[in-house]
């Protein structure tokens, strides 16, 4: 992955400079207090661990291992939930968010995912796309209704098992 520098501490230094350039309170000029849009993109990449943990190499490494293990457990649970009942994708993205608190690669994946989801939402709100989706849904429901009607006309309402025998 190319972060734009070959130096190890360059990402953290850039994040610290970005924080120092912001006005008091962490708000960009002209940005209201409740707005989160744009704030995420301005945030630097790198570890979100507390400063006292980042100050000690062994403690920071232990913190990263712990974050990785917890994130891995959440992602694994999400993968298990994909074929089973449960919110699999939501849990997987939750695990990615846990990883993103420590790892740059996970932060980049989450930013890409957020951008793609936003683009898909904008495309879904396009009137032509909505009209097409509604038309396809109506056609699908008509086809299903016709098939159910043909089945009922041919076989009637008969249960596939005999309840009275039991």
């Amino acid at each position: 992955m190319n972060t734009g520098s070959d130096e190890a501490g360059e990402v953290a230094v850039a994040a610290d400079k970005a924080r120092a350039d912001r006005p008091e309170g962490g708000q960009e000029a002209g940005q209201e207090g409740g707005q989160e849009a744009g704030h995420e993109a301005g945030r630097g990449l790198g570890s979100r661990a507390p400063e006292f943990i980042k100050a000690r190499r062994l403690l920071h490494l232990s913190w990263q291992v712990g974050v990785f293990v917890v994130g891995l457990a959440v992602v694994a649970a999400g993968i298990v939930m994909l074929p089973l009942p449960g919110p699999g994708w939501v849990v997987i993205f939750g695990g990615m968010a846990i990883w993103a608190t420590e790892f740059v690669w996970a932060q980049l994946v989450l930013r890409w995912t957020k951008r793609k989801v936003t683009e898909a939402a904008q495309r879904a709100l396009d009137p032509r796309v909505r009209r097409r989706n509604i038309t396809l849904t109506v056609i699908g429901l008509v086809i299903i209704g016709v098939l159910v009607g043909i089945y009922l006309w041919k076989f009637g309402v008969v249960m596939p098992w005999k309840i009275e025998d039991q």
Side-chain angles (χ1 to χ4, degrees):
M1 173 173 56
N2 183 6
T3 59
S5 174
D6 294 333
E7 308 214 7
E10 191 70 20
V11 173
V13 172
D16 290 340
K17 286 181 184 175
R19 271 192 226 119
D21 292 341
R22 282 194 201 137
E24 191 62 35
Q27 297 294 326
E28 296 292 332
Q31 184 180 18
E32 294 178 15
Q35 287 182 338
E36 287 293 322
H39 182 65
E40 180 69 25
R43 196 182 292 172
L45 297 175
S47 176
R48 306 259 195 279
E51 291 302 321
F52 74 93
I53 290 178
K54 286 195 274 188
R56 294 169 184 85
R57 178 87 173 122
L58 186 60
L59 189 57
H60 191 224
L61 185 62
S62 302
W63 178 273
Q64 286 182 326
V65 168
V67 167
F68 181 79
V69 169
V70 170
L72 184 64
V74 172
V75 168
I79 290 172
V80 168
M81 286 184 203
L82 286 176
L84 300 175
W89 286 111
V90 173
V91 174
I92 289 172
F93 290 128
M96 289 295 295
I98 291 171
W99 278 337
T101 63
E102 270 313 300
F103 304 108
V104 173
W105 62 267
Q107 292 170 2
L108 295 174
V109 167
L110 278 181
R111 285 183 183 181
W112 179 84
T113 304
K114 287 179 185 178
R115 189 172 57 248
K116 291 299 180 183
V117 167
T118 303
E119 290 172 5
Q122 290 301 320
R123 280 195 312 267
L125 293 176
D126 181 24
R128 291 179 307 209
V129 173
R130 290 186 72 200
R131 207 169 322 142
R132 183 200 65 203
N133 290 345
I134 290 171
T135 303
L136 290 174
T137 301
V138 168
I139 290 171
L141 289 174
V142 167
I143 290 172
I144 289 172
V146 167
L147 291 175
V148 167
I150 291 172
Y151 178 84
L152 291 175
W153 173 68
K154 187 149 177 111
F155 299 107
V157 181
V158 178
M159 297 293 169
W161 58 87
K162 295 187 178 186
I163 297 176
E164 51 279 339
D165 287 346
Q166 302 209 2

